[in-house]
Amino acid sequence: MPSGNQRGTAAQKNGLGGGRPGEGAGITNLLFVIPALTLYAIFVLLPLASSLYYALTDWDGIGSPRWVGLANFSRAFSDDIHLASYVHVTLYIIGTLIFEVSFGLIMAVLLNSDRPGFALLRGLFFSPVVLSMSAAGVLWTFVFDYRTGLINGMLKGMGLSDWAQPWLSQPATALLCVMLVSGWKFAGFYMILFFAALRRIPRSLYEAATLEGAGPIRQFFSITLPLLKQNVLICGLLAVTGGFAGFDLFFTMTNGQPYNSTEVPVTWIVKMGFDSDQLGYGIALTVILTVVVSLVSLLYLRFAERSHAVEY
Amino acid sequence: MRSSIDTPRAPREWLQFGIGAAVVAGMCFPAIWMSYSALKTNREIFRKPYALPETWQWENLSKAWQDGGLGGLYLNSIIVTAAAVTLCAFAATLAAYAFARLEFPGRRALYRVFLIGLLLPPPAVAIALFTQLRDMGLLNTLWALIFANAAWTLSITLYLMTGYFRTVKREMEEAARLEGANTFQVFWSVVLPMVKPAVITTAILNTINIWNELMFALLFISDDASRTLPAGIVRFSGFHSTNYALVFAALTLTTVPIMTFYFVSQRHVIRGLTAARAE
Amino acid sequence: MVLRTGLLSGLIGAVAFASAALPSAALGEPVEIRITHSITGGSQKEVLDGIIADFEKANPEITVKQVVFDDDQYSDTGLITQLKSSTPPDIYFQWAGFPMQRDAKEGFAKDITAEMNEGGWKDTFLPSVWSPSMGTLYDGKAYLVPMTLDVTNVIWFNKKIFAEDGVKAPATWDEFMAVIKTLAEKGQTPIVVGNQELWPLGNWASHIASRVVEPAHYAAAFELKEPFNQPGFEKALTLIDDLRKAGAFNKDIAGLGADPAMSTFFQEAAAMHPIGSWLVPSANEMAEKDFDYGAFNTPLIDPANPTKDSVIGTATGFAVHAKSAHPKEAIAFLKFFTQLDNQVKWAEAGSFSPVKGAMEQAKLDDKTKQMADMLSSAGSLVPPPDTTYPVAVAESYYQAAAYVAGGEKSPKDALVWLDEHVKAMK
């Protein structure tokens, strides 16, 4: 148990600055938090609580809910598509971590220069981030189209028509394609975050290393990467929680097909909740999703906390 | 990999630029292709996908604008995004200040409650929130999206702001207090200007996210008049799913302004993030 | 409700509800009635717009506002959101059968039996429209004003390709398989289906099943009183498996959307396309002027089956919302809409008017005429399962059919999977 003296440090670990006595009466200070709290309580906490209630009912969204206890949950654990959706989303998260975060990191380092032209390249690399998901989904659905799409068109033009596939209609390739589009779209976002962080690394460190004869690759691994650790970890967390919530791209490109091979938790929830009018079951699935995301994030944060980010 | 501007470029730098340019060109091709395909006829798109348009069908753009009701979609998106981002920035900055600097009962517990939001995927409550908004009579209004988006960007904004506060030195606040300023005055006149970069950065990030938000927009709004851009585009491309020229035209029209916004604000983001160093 | 947020939302809700429940203005003051549906374009929309304009001219104090969604959005969230909102539409489009029953039970649809009986309105419709299998009556009462009959699935074919490859529209399933083999050998894509949403193939697969499975068993399976894993259904799915093995389906069947598939058919990149009668208005709008196509019903499979020559179809119509503030005006519009002269226009736009005499009087293009003849000469009418039985069960069957068509599961395995999957829905 932290003692009074250590409370400051513990609070700092939580990201709080540590208040000092005499900085104002406790209660009036609460006023600062009221706006955020009200907004949060009504639109985040309240639906969360009612989710817990509805998850225990059988409800078609229109009539009155009928209490069924934990029946929805036991059904969820024998629902093969539901279980598979977690496998798919995990693959997707790993894929996105690889594509988006590493690609973004590499490009941030590659395009890290004050020379003219580099700013333009960075700007262009980021631009897909700004597209809406639906735009990206529609665009790439056409690119992957079997008969008239760009990719198969290019393959046929290069004499490789055997390689032309129904990309979004085969379980083997569909998920990969969605991952690719996600990577295309978001790598720029991570690049900018890393780039901003790179900027904060004092030049002197690099110059000193160059004087000692270290080449650029060596500098990357011994200077850049460790100092970016905190950013890497935060980016990773965003990718993980964002990945579990993945919906937009999946909905516009494949909507879970073919054969539910690109089904992710949220597309299945929407299908159960809205398409088949089984809101009680759909909400139970959202409760499970929340628990899973929370557990994964907490584990991740615990792991991140142990490897402290370096202060500089 | 850093070099000063004054020295002549090393071959390594040219290589850096070359590789970077090639990658970026590949990245941007689909979007560029979409923009000039918007000005073709459908038949051209199918028969000669890569060629530039034979005749530039500028009228595709105006047709897409009208058929898609893009003016209305834009207006709604602007209203929702501006209101939600402002609301969130306001609430989060106040709260971040309190968590970072002030004492009050339940401070740590309350902070943890907000952090829960970081772990929650918005779809987690989509259905329940839908029902709740319906009971509150807010369904099908822009308020539903404004409040929902503001509330759901709170956690990340609060987290980033509080983190930023941590790096800000206290001397000026302490000096102000010694001169007799009360808490709010300290916040308003001393602290707020200092955290402006973080406010701006989070505002920009939130703007992009809320502007592109699809799930709530699809579920909570069914009235054409109140629809936002992403949901409108999904519906539009559903109606006209095979009229690729028209769909691409609509997509191009919805992309150009946000691209411009991004290029203009990009410098701000960098400045905001690097300003922390400049003391 | 237990979890209302309290005074504030209660107030908001009360104000909203009160303004919605305000009785319609005194006679002579402008009234707006809202009608929601999913007719997004084509000739049907034009005619609807025209009828609305005529109605507004004849009744200057009434304006009719349309709230339109595309098909899937309408079924998923569009309709429900409006039905439950505090300002529901006055008139809404709905399918006969299970959906209408649910609306009646939950109090969304107004009981219009009295209005139907008044002045013989009910008798202006074809008698077959009110037969039990159509699902237009619930508990003997009327909740729906029938507006069109849809043939849910026929097999459309490209006449030019058929002529070039020397094949003719088949009358039996064996002839059908022969046609497919010939087309495949000549390098055509015999059948294009866009099955991303499962219902395009699912509807056809249900029709095939209804031709092979005894009606009593068919109903029992969908009502979850019997397992799907029985010889009849296995035969049905085996037929689909045979199609797959003969190379009948397009390679991207699983990921292609319904509309892009139709477009593929219009671009003559495939010989056949199994879809409903709504292809006709779409063809008028999207296909080339010289696109030469025809249709044939699913061929004869089992001569011993009572529904051997059935047509799969359903009735759709307009319901009046029980909480509508302007029921009189809504009924007035619907009566106007179902007048013979308007229904003739409606028929000429490619719909199947359920009103007596409309189809005969209308100048129909030969495709629509063919559909109309098919409907009237059909020995039986089978509704698609997703309008007769709980949607979740129907969609599971569609999923099973999709597995077989894509070679993901064998017919037997698909049925085993299906029974497992629907266990939880009992």
Side-chain angles (χ1 to χ4, degrees):
Chain A
M1 292 290 125
S3 70
N5 283 347
Q6 292 178 336
R7 215 181 69 181
T9 338
Q12 248 156 358
K13 262 181 126 185
N14 281 334
L16 299 182
R20 293 170 201 180
E23 280 202 7
I27 304 296
T28 40
N29 288 342
L30 258 177
L31 282 176
F32 280 87
V33 185
I34 295 291
L37 194 55
T38 321
L39 198 56
Y40 191 72
I42 298 180
F43 294 99
V44 177
L45 297 178
L46 194 54
L48 201 57
S50 54
S51 288
L52 292 173
Y53 165 69
Y54 284 123
L56 303 170
T57 66
D58 173 26
W59 190 39
D60 66 352
I62 306 178
S64 357
R66 183 174 61 95
W67 182 268
V68 293
L70 294 174
N72 286 332
F73 289 99
S74 61
R75 177 175 162 199
F77 285 105
S78 46
D79 182 344
D80 48 346
I81 298 180
H82 175 237
L83 299 173
S85 72
Y86 279 95
V87 174
H88 301 147
V89 84
T90 308
L91 290 173
Y92 172 73
I93 290 174
I94 294 174
T96 51
L97 280 175
I98 295 174
F99 279 132
E100 295 171 4
V101 178
S102 354
F103 193 24
L105 179 58
I106 293 171
M107 289 306 285
V109 171
L110 190 65
L111 297 181
N112 185 9
S113 164
D114 290 325
R115 295 286 196 180
F118 277 92
L120 182 63
L121 285 187
R122 285 194 297 270
L124 288 173
F125 189 77
F126 184 84
S127 50
V129 177
V130 165
L131 271 183
S132 73
M133 273 301 206
S134 30
V138 171
L139 174 60
W140 281 89
T141 304
F142 185 77
V143 171
F144 283 122
D145 187 81
Y146 178 58
R147 265 169 303 277
T148 51
L150 273 188
I151 296 200
N152 285 349
M154 272 201 277
L155 288 173
K156 282 186 205 147
M158 294 198 282
L160 292 169
S161 42
D162 282 346
W163 286 18
Q165 323 244 358
W167 302 100
L168 297 177
S169 297
Q170 289 174 157
T173 49
L175 192 58
L176 277 173
C177 290
V178 180
M179 283 196 240
L180 194 74
V181 178
S182 189
W184 172 82
K185 197 178 179 311
F186 283 114
F189 176 77
Y190 294 97
M191 183 207 71
I192 288 289
L193 286 181
F194 287 131
F195 177 73
L198 274 176
R199 284 265 169 199
R200 290 160 74 182
I201 300 178
R203 223 178 273 182
S204 44
L205 284 177
Y206 288 110
E207 284 166 11
T210 319
L211 284 175
E212 287 177 35
I217 310 268
R218 178 87 196 287
Q219 287 183 17
F220 176 74
F221 280 103
S222 359
I223 302 178
T224 318
L225 211 46
L227 289 179
L228 283 184
K229 208 188 229 183
Q230 190 184 32
N231 285 75
V232 173
L233 290 173
I234 293 183
C235 288
L237 181 64
L238 290 178
V240 168
T241 46
F244 273 105
F247 171 75
D248 300 4
L249 200 57
F250 286 93
F251 182 71
T252 43
M253 283 185 80
T254 58
N255 201 8
Q257 306 309 334
Y259 314 118
N260 308 108
S261 61
T262 59
E263 202 78 63
V264 290
V266 183
T267 53
W268 190 239
I269 286 169
V270 170
K271 277 192 188 141
M272 290 292 103
F274 288 98
D275 293 4
S276 354
D277 291 344
Q278 301 175 82
L279 272 77
Y281 184 53
I283 294 182
L285 294 182
T286 62
V287 171
I288 295 178
L289 177 65
T290 311
V291 169
V292 170
V293 173
S294 312
L295 278 176
V296 171
S297 305
L298 286 173
L299 282 172
Y300 186 98
L301 284 174
R302 184 121 307 179
F303 158 75
E305 232 172 291
R306 289 224 203 96
S307 41
H308 305 297
V310 177
E311 288 291 333
Y312 56 89
Chain B
M1 301 214 179
R2 302 280 298 262
S3 52
S4 87
I5 304 179
D6 305 319
T7 59
R9 294 193 198 214
R12 191 185 74 210
E13 286 185 306
W14 283 107
L15 192 63
Q16 215 178 312
F17 190 80
I19 298 177
V23 172
V24 169
M27 290 276 291
C28 292
F29 179 65
I32 295 176
W33 174 82
M34 178 187 81
S35 327
Y36 73 74
S37 296
L39 301 171
K40 291 178 170 176
T41 62
N42 274 321
R43 212 187 268 173
E44 269 184 270
I45 295 181
F46 288 119
R47 307 275 162 90
K48 287 192 278 197
Y50 307 113
L52 285 175
E54 280 168 30
T55 48
W56 294 71
Q57 315 262 52
W58 295 102
E59 61 269 18
N60 285 352
L61 293 177
S62 51
K63 186 155 194 292
W65 184 272
Q66 274 175 307
D67 284 359
L70 293 189
L73 294 178
Y74 260 110
L75 191 61
N76 291 329
S77 275
I78 291 174
I79 294 175
V80 168
T81 309
V85 170
T86 313
L87 189 54
C88 175
F90 170 72
T93 315
L94 281 174
Y97 175 63
F99 284 121
R101 294 285 194 257
L102 306 178
E103 267 298 337
F104 52 89
R107 185 174 60 122
R108 235 178 320 158
L110 212 47
Y111 189 66
R112 292 222 180 97
V113 168
F114 277 108
L115 286 190
I116 294 176
L118 282 180
L119 310 176
L120 286 179
V125 300
I127 305 179
L129 190 52
F130 170 82
T131 315
Q132 186 180 312
L133 288 169
R134 174 178 46 108
D135 293 341
M136 292 170 79
L138 292 178
L139 211 55
N140 238 343
T141 66
L142 292 181
W143 288 113
L145 291 183
I146 293 173
F147 287 134
N149 278 308
W152 283 87
T153 45
L154 255 184
S155 292
I156 182 77
T157 313
L158 183 63
Y159 176 73
L160 290 175
M161 296 283 315
T162 316
Y164 191 79
F165 267 98
R166 186 155 58 102
T167 67
V168 175
K169 302 274 189 268
R170 291 169 177 271
E171 288 94 25
M172 297 193 62
E173 295 164 64
E174 284 163 17
R177 271 202 192 279
L178 289 174
E179 287 178 33
N182 69 25
T183 319
F184 188 73
Q185 285 170 326
V186 174
F187 170 74
W188 188 260
S189 340
V190 177
V191 178
L192 203 48
M194 285 203 286
V195 298
K196 221 178 8 192
V199 175
I200 292 178
T201 312
T202 51
I204 291 174
L205 289 175
N206 285 341
T207 300
I208 294 179
N209 283 334
I210 295 179
W211 182 268
N212 287 333
E213 201 282 323
L214 182 66
M215 165 161 246
F216 288 164
L218 270 180
L219 294 180
F220 300 160
I221 306 273
S222 44
D223 213 352
D224 270 347
S226 313
R227 209 177 291 276
T228 58
L229 214 45
I233 289 294
V234 168
R235 290 192 65 225
F236 187 74
S237 42
F239 278 15
H240 302 272
S241 56
T242 47
N243 191 348
Y244 286 117
L246 196 63
V247 174
F248 288 163
L251 289 178
T252 310
L253 285 173
T254 56
T255 312
V256 167
I258 188 110
M259 285 290 189
T260 322
F261 172 80
Y262 159 67
F263 275 108
V264 163
S265 67
Q266 180 198 23
R267 279 175 250 147
H268 249 299
V269 178
I270 306 294
R271 235 190 277 154
L273 290 167
T274 53
R277 292 279 91 209
E279 276 145 52
Chain C
M1 299 217 86
V2 174
L3 292 150
R4 241 176 240 264
T5 52
L7 195 57
L8 181 63
S9 67
L11 269 175
I12 296 176
V15 170
F17 182 73
S19 48
L22 277 174
S24 60
L27 221 66
E29 281 188 38
V31 160
E32 184 191 76
I33 53 175
R34 285 160 55 237
I35 170 171
T36 183
H37 59 80
S38 59
I39 302 166
T40 53
S43 34
Q44 279 180 323
K45 182 85 177 21
E46 277 178 42
V47 168
L48 184 59
D49 289 342
I51 295 178
I52 289 179
D54 289 341
F55 180 74
E56 287 177 335
K57 249 187 256 153
N59 300 276
E61 73 279 7
I62 309 183
T63 38
V64 179
K65 173 159 186 264
Q66 301 185 57
V67 181
V68 191
F69 292 90
D70 77 69
D71 240 6
D72 288 314
Q73 276 255 310
Y74 188 76
S75 329
D76 289 349
T77 48
L79 181 59
I80 288 293
T81 316
Q82 294 188 76
L83 287 184
K84 296 196 279 193
S85 84
S86 47
T87 49
D90 301 279
I91 303 174
Y92 67 96
F93 168 82
Q94 187 57 288
W95 282 268
F98 196 73
M100 187 204 74
Q101 279 184 30
R102 181 208 59 193
D103 287 357
K105 274 193 254 183
E106 296 293 339
F108 288 129
K110 184 172 152 61
D111 179 351
I112 51 175
T113 318
E115 287 83 349
M116 268 289 161
N117 288 329
E118 185 193 341
W121 191 21
K122 192 165 184 210
D123 298 324
T124 60
F125 295 95
L126 295 166
S128 55
V129 160
W130 302 114
S131 69
S133 61
M134 293 306 296
T136 40
L137 294 174
Y138 174 59
D139 221 17
K141 304 203 208 82
Y143 291 90
L144 203 67
V145 177
M147 86 152 168
T148 193
L149 303 168
D150 266 338
V151 175
T152 310
N153 193 288
V154 286
I155 302 169
W156 302 93
F157 68 98
N158 184 319
K159 285 195 179 153
K160 192 165 61 157
I161 296 182
F162 265 44
E164 279 173 4
D165 292 348
V167 291
K168 281 214 278 291
T172 69
W173 190 266
D174 289 334
E175 286 174 28
F176 187 47
M177 290 303 291
V179 167
I180 288 175
K181 282 207 178 65
T182 314
L183 288 171
E185 275 161 23
K186 305 240 168 162
Q188 296 287 353
T189 305
I191 305 179
V192 61
V193 182
N195 208 27
Q196 200 197 65
E197 291 138 50
L198 300 182
W199 57 263
L201 184 69
N203 281 339
W204 190 25
S206 313
H207 196 197
I208 293 176
S210 73
R211 292 283 193 84
V212 173
V213 181
E214 293 287 313
H217 291 301
Y218 184 86
F222 275 102
E223 286 163 9
L224 300 183
K225 296 194 185 117
E226 273 181 25
F228 277 97
N229 192 357
Q230 40 173 293
F233 279 104
E234 193 176 346
K235 169 107 198 277
L237 289 184
T238 308
L239 291 175
I240 295 181
D241 200 36
D242 291 342
L243 286 172
R244 177 189 63 88
K245 286 196 223 159
F249 295 121
N250 49 311
K251 286 223 174 51
D252 54 347
I253 181 174
L256 192 63
D259 284 333
M262 198 185 280
S263 179
T264 308
F265 177 64
F266 291 154
Q267 280 153 31
E268 313 206 64
M272 295 182 268
H273 182 48
I275 204 76
S277 50
W278 55 86
L279 177 131
V280 179
S282 297
N284 293 339
E285 199 185 350
M286 291 206 289
E288 303 286 327
K289 292 284 172 266
D290 61 352
F291 182 56
D292 195 13
Y293 68 103
F296 57 87
N297 199 1
T298 298
L300 181 67
I301 306 173
D302 179 3
N305 188 294
T307 60
K308 61 179 187 292
D309 56 356
S310 64
V311 166
I312 182 169
T314 182
T316 61
F318 285 121
V320 177
H321 198 283
K323 293 208 186 84
S324 161
H326 315 292
K328 276 214 196 59
E329 288 81 354
I331 296 277
F333 173 71
L334 289 173
K335 281 204 169 145
F336 183 77
F337 182 74
T338 51
Q339 269 171 220
L340 189 55
D341 51 350
N342 286 324
Q343 284 296 302
V344 168
K345 287 191 212 140
W346 186 239
E348 286 171 349
S351 330
F352 300 100
S353 168
V355 165
K356 269 191 229 171
M359 295 304 277
E360 284 93 63
Q361 281 194 31
K363 285 193 282 302
L364 301 173
D365 68 86
D366 55 336
K367 312 285 184 295
T368 317
K369 187 130 201 343
Q370 187 189 2
M371 295 285 106
D373 289 342
M374 217 187 263
L375 271 174
S376 46
S377 62
S380 46
L381 196 64
V382 179
D386 61 3
T387 59
T388 328
Y389 305 104
V391 172
V393 178
E395 291 211 344
S396 306
Y397 175 72
Y398 293 174
Q399 177 74 79
Y403 281 138
V404 172
E408 286 290 306
K409 289 194 204 286
S410 72
K412 191 95 185 155
D413 289 341
L415 289 173
V416 169
W417 174 88
L418 180 55
D419 281 329
E420 260 308 302
H421 204 69
V422 295
K423 245 199 312 194
M425 298 174 197
K426 297 211 195 178

